[in-house]
């Protein structure tokens, strides 16, 4: 995947700096995106029209030369690190190495991302390098527009996501209702933890992983970010929200479904139907040139017309539609753009979730979430999993 960094070139020109500098490991998505290299320990990436990598040790040197898309790959030792340690001490030596590294590419001034190590910045400034904070996060903005290859990566992650959701739904379908209205499988109580285990195992078999997922039942489902725990109950809404990362590409997917084993209450059934209508309204508004605020407003309109509270209508409400409509998905599971009151203009290549929902501890919660890519003439829904309340 070769990213289009022309916007970064324009940014550097407008900012009047020679290069863009990152000091992080590849868990920081901007670092992975700009360097094209996956490493667990921090390293330096300099972009000055070309991409240059600098490693403290030789450990990743050979692999970086083979696997990264950098134009140059170097080590501290290439800039006389040990001699500098003897002359300046180990801490100050690093700033001298970095300054010499930048000087090798005629870089006297750099922009750095909003989150950047203060010691690195102070050390460079002490060596006469001008360091300016990029408060807008230009690389993060660039990452929001996906290439065809990135869309393919997310589509692959979504297929794994759907296999995991199917495994979870199948477990609910196979369950039986016990005398106390809890769910049982093979005579054992079905818990949130057991369903999560099934999800995680399925994802691993499909090349994906996740740190955590949401399987929240009843009152737990009334909190959008409650992960859920304990026994699952019949006749109650169970929100399952899965957001895996493909282990090979590092790209995410995201999807939510709400299920009821047994007979849902009239309120839950009405909420689910209403949320499907809110999702349809969001998709009707999703197109290039529209804003994330436009899409969010479409969802709020459906809920408000039905008499349900929203944060747009009442910023103090604790029930109803109490979050934004969606967010970008890519190397991070939450990234730009935003489908929210302050969401900006949507462009082809933006991949977003559409996830309306309603919440009240007295009822539970209902949320439905698909993932889609904005196209030149509208959108393509990357989600193939059906929407079904009762299992």
């Amino acid at each position: 995947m070769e990213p289009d960094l022309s916007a970064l070139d324009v940014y550097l020109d407008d900012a009047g700096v020679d290069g863009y500098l990152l000091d992080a490991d590849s868990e920081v998505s901007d670092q992975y995106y700009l360097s094209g290299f996956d490493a667990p320990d921090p390293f330096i990436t300099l972009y000055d029209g070309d991409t240059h990598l600098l490693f403290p040790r030789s450990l990743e040197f050979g692999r970086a030369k083979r696997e990264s898309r950098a134009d140059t790959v170097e080590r501290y030792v290439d800039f006389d690190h040990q001699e500098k340690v003897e002359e300046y001490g180990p801490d100050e030596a690093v700033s001298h190495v970095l300054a010499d590294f930048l000087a090798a590419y005629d870089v006297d001034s750099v922009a750095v991302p909003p989150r950047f190590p203060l010691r690195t910045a102070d050390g460079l400034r002490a060596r006469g390098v001008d360091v300016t904070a990029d408060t807008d996060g230009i690389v993060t903005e660039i990452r929001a527009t996906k290439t065809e290859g990135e869309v393919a990566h997310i589509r692959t992650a979504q297929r794994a996501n759907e296999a995991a959701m199917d495994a979870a739904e199948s477990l609910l379908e196979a369950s039986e209702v016990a005398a106390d209205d809890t769910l049982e499988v093979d005579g054992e109580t079905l818990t949130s933890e057991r369903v999560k285990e099934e999800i995680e195992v399925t994802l691993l078999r499909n090349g994906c992983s996740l740190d955590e997922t949401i399987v929240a039942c009843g009152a737990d489902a009334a909190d959008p970010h409650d992960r859920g725990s304990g026994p699952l109950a019949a006749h109650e809404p169970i929100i399952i929200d899965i957001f895996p990362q493909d282990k090979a590409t590092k790209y995410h997917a995201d999807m939510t479904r709400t299920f009821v084993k047994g007979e849902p209450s009239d309120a839950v059934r009405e909420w689910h139907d209403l949320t499907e209508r809110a999702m349809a309204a969001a998709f009707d508004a999703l197109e290039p040139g529209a804003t994330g605020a436009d899409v969010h407003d479409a969802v709020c309109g459906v809920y408000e017309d039905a008499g349900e509270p929203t944060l747009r209508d009442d910023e103090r409400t604790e029930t109803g539609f109490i979050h934004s409509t969606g967010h970008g998905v890519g190397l991070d599971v939450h990234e730009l753009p935003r489908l929210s009151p302050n969401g900006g203009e949507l462009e082809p290549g933006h991949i977003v979730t559409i996830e309306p929902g309603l919440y009240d501890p007295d009822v539970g919660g209902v949320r439905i979430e698909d993932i889609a890519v904005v196209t030149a003439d509208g959108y393509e829904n990357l989600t193939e999993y059906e929407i079904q309340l009762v299992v």
Side-chain angles (χ1 to χ4, degrees):
M1 179 198 70
E2 289 291 339
D4 179 1
L5 298 177
S6 57
L8 183 53
D9 295 326
V10 172
Y11 170 83
L12 295 178
D13 287 341
D14 290 346
V17 296
D18 300 325
Y20 199 91
L21 195 69
L22 286 158
D23 180 2
D25 62 42
S26 60
E27 288 300 306
V28 175
S29 294
D30 285 357
Q31 174 70 298
Y32 179 71
Y33 186 84
L34 200 58
S35 69
F37 186 63
D38 188 7
D41 298 317
F43 61 97
I44 297 291
T45 296
L46 168 67
Y47 179 80
D48 63 352
D50 292 322
T51 302
H52 311 282
L53 306 187
L54 178 67
F55 291 89
R57 295 173 296 280
S58 297
L59 181 63
E60 302 286 7
F61 180 64
R63 189 167 66 88
K65 288 197 295 184
R66 294 191 307 271
E67 297 180 5
S68 78
R69 56 170 170 268
D71 297 284
T72 66
V73 179
E74 293 163 295
R75 303 158 293 180
Y76 281 15
V77 68
D78 298 316
F79 296 91
D80 301 323
H81 178 237
Q82 188 55 44
E83 290 86 341
K84 290 179 170 62
V85 168
E86 294 171 359
E87 182 174 357
Y88 303 110
D91 292 334
E92 191 175 341
V94 173
S95 64
H96 284 273
V97 166
L98 297 185
D100 286 354
F101 167 68
L102 296 178
Y105 299 103
D106 297 321
V107 171
D108 297 319
S109 56
V110 293
V112 300
R115 293 181 179 272
F116 187 83
L118 181 60
R119 185 171 70 173
T120 304
D122 284 348
L124 287 174
R125 287 170 177 149
R127 308 281 81 77
V129 178
D130 182 47
V131 180
T132 303
D134 163 28
T135 55
D136 293 329
I138 181 63
V139 178
T140 302
E141 290 181 7
I142 292 170
R143 288 198 292 111
T145 302
K146 307 300 188 290
T147 65
E148 289 183 6
E150 289 176 290
V151 174
H153 291 333
I154 294 169
R155 193 191 308 274
T156 298
Q158 180 58 22
R159 296 290 81 78
N161 195 357
E162 292 176 9
M165 186 68 77
D166 184 63
E169 184 178 359
S170 296
L171 201 52
L172 294 176
E173 285 180 331
S175 68
E176 297 180 350
V177 181
D180 62 355
D181 277 346
T182 59
L183 300 182
E184 292 184 346
V185 173
D186 296 329
E188 295 186 358
T189 300
L190 182 61
T191 63
S192 172
E193 290 79 7
R194 173 68 181 87
V195 176
K196 291 175 187 177
E197 178 185 87
E198 192 72 19
I199 289 168
E200 292 180 16
V201 168
T202 304
L203 287 173
L204 284 171
R205 289 171 177 162
N206 284 271
C208 288
S209 62
L210 79 172
D211 292 331
E212 53 188 340
T213 192
I214 295 173
V215 180
C217 179
D220 286 349
D223 181 341
H225 280 168
D226 192 315
R227 299 305 194 235
S229 62
L232 300 178
H235 320 303
E236 296 281 353
I238 301 170
I239 290 179
I240 301 181
D241 187 350
I242 311 174
F243 31 96
Q245 182 181 44
D246 188 288
K247 295 173 74 174
T249 69
K250 298 178 76 72
Y251 282 83
H252 289 81
D254 200 357
M255 178 174 64
T256 304
R257 292 292 183 264
T258 301
F259 302 111
V260 173
K261 174 71 175 187
E263 185 62 32
S265 68
D266 289 342
V268 168
R269 196 179 291 277
E270 290 171 7
W271 276 15
H272 197 269
D273 290 344
L274 185 58
T275 297
E276 283 194 75
R277 296 206 303 274
M279 173 178 272
F283 275 119
D284 285 344
L286 185 65
E287 62 182 1
T291 65
D294 293 334
V295 179
H296 181 67
D297 284 341
V299 169
C300 290
V302 171
Y303 283 142
E304 290 166 9
D305 288 348
E308 298 293 344
T310 73
L311 287 176
R312 184 182 74 168
D313 185 56
D314 177 6
E315 65 181 12
R316 295 182 180 273
T317 186
E318 297 180 11
T319 62
F321 182 42
I322 53 176
H323 55 71
S324 64
T325 293
H327 53 83
V329 177
L331 290 171
D332 292 322
V333 73
H334 293 96
E335 60 180 46
L336 295 175
R338 301 181 182 93
L339 304 187
S340 65
N342 61 351
E345 184 171 330
L346 299 168
E347 301 175 3
H350 283 169
I351 290 184
V352 295
T353 65
I354 302 289
E355 49 180 310
L358 292 170
Y359 311 89
D360 187 327
D362 292 336
V363 178
V366 168
R367 183 166 69 255
I368 308 170
E369 176 185 21
D370 282 359
I371 186 172
V373 56
V374 179
T375 62
D377 56 359
Y379 68 89
E380 178 192 354
N381 193 333
L382 302 179
T383 311
E384 297 178 356
Y385 203 85
E386 68 177 357
I387 297 171
Q388 173 180 292
L389 175 62
V390 179
V391 296

